[in-house]
Amino acid sequence: MPVADDVPNPPPPARPRRRAPWPRPFLVGLVCGVVLAGCLLTALRWPQDDVTYRSTPPPSLVYPDDAPHHLALVRRSSLYGSDTFRLFIGRGPTPAYGHWLDVDAALGQRGVESTRWTREGVRVRFPGGHEVFVPARAFLYGR
């Protein structure tokens, strides 16, 4: 004869309550995204060039290539805080293609006192008394 089981079946184990997800992964991703975007923008912005001085020859002085000429003292700031200076002489008002000369940082920081354009070239005078002469053949005809 079949025996009835007097012991009832045990209830199934209770499932643990599921907690609401904590926003940690979202916040970590957001912080990482902001930091990476800041680093990318900083890296794309450097090095930065600033023109600290500009000069053009007087209208009465026309060089044999019949082109307008421009002189600029350009300061290049690096990401590490150091500055370098270069003197640019070329056909365009923006320093790009032309004749470039490196200038000592101590001279460049003090700026340019004066420029004197002649048919032979251009003479740049710095406040400390230093002078640089660039012959016209160095910047004529788009060099």
Side-chain angles (χ1 to χ4, degrees):
M1 166 166 175
V3 176
D5 193 20
D6 293 346
V7 180
N9 289 337
R15 288 186 172 173
R17 278 184 55 181
R18 189 169 188 186
R19 293 186 332 199
W22 192 62
R24 185 179 357 175
F26 172 75
L27 291 176
V28 168
L30 181 67
V31 168
C32 287
V34 168
V35 168
L36 286 175
C39 290
L40 180 65
L41 289 175
T42 301
L44 290 175
R45 188 172 170 239
W46 297 96
Q48 184 176 8
D49 291 343
D50 296 317
V51 175
T52 60
Y53 178 82
R54 291 182 188 274
S55 176
T56 57
S60 60
L61 179 61
V62 178
Y63 287 104
D65 62 354
D66 291 326
H69 295 283
H70 302 269
L71 179 138
L73 181 64
V74 180
R75 179 182 68 210
R76 174 166 277 188
S77 301
S78 75
L79 187 59
Y80 307 108
S82 63
D83 291 342
T84 57
F85 291 87
R86 297 182 81 192
L87 198 62
F88 165 80
I89 306 170
R91 290 180 162 197
T94 57
Y97 181 74
H99 187 72
W100 289 89
L101 293 167
D102 291 329
V103 176
D104 185 69
L107 291 176
Q109 286 175 348
R110 295 182 66 193
V112 173
E113 184 177 297
S114 64
T115 53
R116 187 167 155 244
W117 295 82
T118 62
R119 180 151 300 296
E120 291 78 31
V122 62
R123 185 172 304 278
V124 180
R125 184 173 176 83
F126 294 93
H130 292 84
E131 290 184 354
V132 174
F133 178 76
V134 181
R137 69 176 179 275
F139 59 85
L140 291 180
Y141 302 103
R143 288 191 227 172

